[in-house]
Every structure is written in C-alpha cells, then in structure tokens.
Amino acid sequence: MTDRYSPISRLLHHRTKRLKKGEPLALPIVASTIYHLPGDPQASHVYGRYGNPTVEEVEAEIGLIEDAEAILFPSGMAAIAAVFYAHLKPGDRIIVHADGYYNARALLAEQFVSKGITVQAVPTPSLAEADFTGVKLALIETPTNPGLEVCDIAAVAAKCRAAGTILVADNTTATPLCQRPLDLGADISVMADTKAMAGHSDILAGHVASRRPELLEAVKSWKRLAGAIISPFDAYLLHRGMETLELRIARANANALAVATALSGDPRVTNLRYPGLITDPAHTIARRQMTGYGPIVSFCLESRDAAEGFIRRHPLLAAATSFGGVHSAAECRVRWGDAVPEGFIRMACGIEPVGDLVSATLSALDPD
C-alpha cells in the first residue's frame, strides 16, 4: 500500500491487497513447529525456532508502525535482554537510566557486571549532559516508568552518535504513535508490547526495532540461538490488539490528561506528574518530541495507607501492576522496591468514559 496513508491504515490493510480469492481476511494462526522439508533444508520455513508465518506477519505490522524492521520476543524484558546479550562484551561500558523500569538495571547487575560489563546509572533528566565517551551502549526510557521523567531523545542521540555509542530507547510508556525514537536519532527502539500494543492484559510480548541492519542482525542471531520465541497464538492476539491501537491510545491519553488536570487542583495530592500538563517539569521537552503523553499519571498521597485506601475505594481501578490495558489500574509502587515515597501511586488510565473516570477518581480521594 502506498506510503501516503498513515501507518495504522497500512497496518489494517497489510493483508487485504495480497489475498487470493477465497483466502481468510483474518490473520491465520499457524501452530506448526515443523514444516514439510524433503531433501536439502532450503525453504521459506524450516523449524519453529527459526520462523513462523503468523509471527512474521505481526513483525511486519509492527515494522509499519515503527518504519523499521522489527523482531518479536516473548516479553519486553526478553527484547531488552536480547539487545544486551547481542551487543555487550566483557570490558564494555553501558549507561542506563537510574529511574526507569527497575528490572533492566536488575538484569545488568545480576547477569552482566560479573562478566566484566561496567554499568553507570544516570538520572533521566541528566542524560543529555552525560559523558558517553567510551560507552558501548546506552539505554534510555522516556517517559520513565513509574516516575514519568523525560529526557531529550534528539540531544542524547547526538551525543551518542558523536561518541560511537549505540542508543537504545525503551518506548513502552509512549508507543510509536505518541513518540518516535528512531526518527529522533535512536539506533534501536524496544517496547513491552504486553502493554498498550496488545492492550488487553492477556499476553506477554516485546519487540526490538531498528533501521540499522547490522545492529538487528546480531539480535536476530541471539534470538534464534537462545530460543526466545513468541508463540503464534500470542502473536495473533498482539495483532488483534494493534488493530484498535490508535483508538485505545487516544482514549487512554485523554483520560490521563483529564485525571491529571483534575488532581492538580487538590491539596491532598502532591508530586503530581504527567508530561501533558503545562505545569509539569518535563512538559517543554515532552511537547517537543511527543504527539501524545501516554496513559500513566503518577502522584503521592500522605501515606501508604492513604494510597491503598484510594485504590480500594476507586470503583474504576483494578488493583494490579502494569499499564496500557483497557482497564484503568493502579498500585503503590513502593511495594516493588522503587525509590519512591510510601504514598506514591502509579495510575494507568484505560478506556473508560472520561467523565466517569475523573468523577470516580475525585470521589476516591475522600476517606471512608
């Protein structure tokens, strides 16, 4: 389909113009791990670990959104791990966000430091001023999960390019519909497709995307050798979720902005963060590089008891971890060991009607 149409339109009709008469319009689930392979093993598919038609269709759809080649993995962390294992060697240095998703730092600490990798954690707002000299790879996450700090992707990319550093951007909180790290100079984009891309809290998935084939080839090789394969059933559910991605993102973003705006006037709420608010410290940078600000609002109440009470009283919040789903959800992030105050709440907005969610949020602030 011609490039004059949006990525979402091209995704929705990725199959339609290639179908032969009588073929199914819906994406078929190819469940086979083996293929008919007489004689020499040259064929489009040879074994499930090497490729699957359903998975490859979904990778192509993600590629349309990213405007880059994409590789699917069975989780977001599997995608991040694949980049680390493919590109880090003993003696290398890596810069990583000090305040984004904690599991990326935990993986480096437990699996890479002992192998001779030097890890330097830098607060996200300071990444544009960091010294990347001698750094092999940098992992940024913007906006960060859970604190919603933002860094200037283009500025970091320019410094990484000058230093010969591979810049990897975790774009999970924004998605490529709201922020395009590869357009801003990042070498690799990673995402937990578990979140908004799939959107229904029923699968784990992740992807790596890049416009630099030499970087992606090493990731492909690691995936094949390590067996980090997503199932065709999960790939199909991801495909099904992506068909409504634009609609869900629009509603979730509208909900988050409305909730953040409503909370901004309440004296019981402190440390409110949402990059879409003009009063947010990160708004100027976020406005420059984002077209939407994501579904997450973070804020603090006076104590953990107050925060847990708010979540318990809220009729439209699931008490659950994760974000990007159709249901609004919230949790006290201190329970996972994040460096946040006791009363810190990460609220992930879903697709409930905006007025209902705002009203329920304000009512839940009132004590029992």
Side-chain angles (χ1 to χ4, degrees):
M1 179 179 288
T2 176
D3 288 349
R4 70 189 177 95
Y5 296 109
S6 71
I8 291 295
S9 290
R10 285 183 280 143
L11 180 154
L12 290 170
H13 291 277
H14 179 62
R15 285 176 48 78
T16 59
K17 300 307 178 186
R18 295 182 289 120
L19 294 174
K20 297 176 183 177
K21 188 173 182 179
E23 289 185 326
L25 187 61
L27 178 65
I29 301 172
V30 178
S32 183
T33 58
I34 59 174
Y35 303 89
H36 183 58
L37 201 66
D40 294 332
Q42 277 76 44
S44 61
H45 297 89
V46 298
Y47 186 62
R49 185 161 51 83
Y50 286 74
N52 174 277
T54 305
V55 172
E56 289 160 7
E57 284 285 314
V58 182
E59 288 175 331
E61 291 171 349
I62 295 172
L64 290 172
I65 301 176
E66 290 274 19
D67 192 20
E69 187 177 0
I71 310 171
L72 269 172
F73 287 88
S75 70
M77 276 309 303
I80 291 173
V83 173
F84 288 169
Y85 280 108
H87 290 291
L88 292 176
K89 303 293 185 292
D92 286 343
R93 289 179 55 212
I94 177 173
I95 284 180
V96 64
H97 50 71
D99 43 9
Y101 184 47
Y102 69 92
N103 217 33
R105 296 189 301 277
L107 173 63
L108 289 167
E110 293 186 19
Q111 297 294 325
F112 287 86
V113 171
S114 63
K115 295 175 177 61
I117 310 297
T118 301
V119 179
Q120 179 185 356
V122 176
T124 293
S126 302
L127 277 164
E129 288 75 51
D131 182 5
F132 292 91
T133 304
V135 174
K136 175 67 175 295
L137 187 146
L139 174 66
I140 63 175
E141 180 186 50
T142 181
T144 59
N145 168 33
L148 301 179
E149 298 287 358
V150 170
C151 70
D152 187 326
I153 299 173
V156 176
K159 295 193 73 171
C160 286
R161 193 178 309 114
T165 302
I166 300 168
L167 178 59
V168 183
D170 185 336
N171 199 33
T172 301
T173 54
T175 81
L177 267 62
C178 298
Q179 180 175 264
R180 303 188 62 77
L182 298 179
D183 290 353
L184 295 166
D187 299 297
I188 295 173
S189 174
V190 297
M191 273 194 65
D193 299 320
T194 305
K195 312 296 196 286
M197 293 284 273
H200 292 77
S201 307
D202 53 6
I203 67 162
L204 293 172
H207 78 259
V208 176
S210 180
R211 297 167 187 168
R212 294 183 58 183
E214 74 280 10
L215 296 181
L216 214 52
E217 200 56 44
V219 177
K220 287 181 185 177
S221 178
W222 190 88
K223 172 186 176 178
R224 183 182 68 253
L225 293 171
I229 308 300
I230 187 172
S231 80
F233 297 96
D234 286 350
Y236 171 80
L237 288 174
L238 175 56
H239 154 82
R240 189 179 175 101
M242 287 195 301
E243 290 187 319
T244 60
L245 177 62
E246 186 177 42
L247 299 174
R248 290 184 288 99
I249 288 289
R251 172 61 71 84
N253 286 359
N255 272 340
L257 179 58
V259 165
T261 300
L263 292 176
S264 66
D266 196 295
R268 293 167 290 186
V269 174
T270 61
N271 299 327
L272 174 68
R273 296 299 305 269
Y274 186 67
L277 291 175
I278 60 172
T279 54
D280 190 273
H283 180 70
T284 299
I285 296 174
R287 183 178 59 193
R288 189 161 63 236
Q289 66 189 22
M290 301 181 77
T291 56
Y293 302 103
I296 301 174
V297 179
S298 69
F299 58 96
C300 291
L301 298 180
E302 62 178 354
S303 65
R304 177 155 183 192
D305 284 346
E308 296 286 8
F310 167 83
I311 296 169
R312 184 181 64 253
R313 289 189 297 271
H314 200 304
L316 301 181
L317 281 185
T321 192
S322 200
F323 56 90
V326 294
H327 310 92
S328 290
E331 65 176 339
C332 292
R333 285 297 295 186
V334 72
R335 67 182 183 168
W336 298 111
D338 286 293
V340 295
E342 288 283 322
F344 180 98
I345 295 171
R346 184 186 71 182
M347 180 172 170
C349 295
I351 64 170
E352 298 88 354
V354 178
D356 287 352
L357 189 60
V358 170
S359 174
T361 299
L362 294 177
S363 295
L365 289 171
D366 295 327
D368 296 322

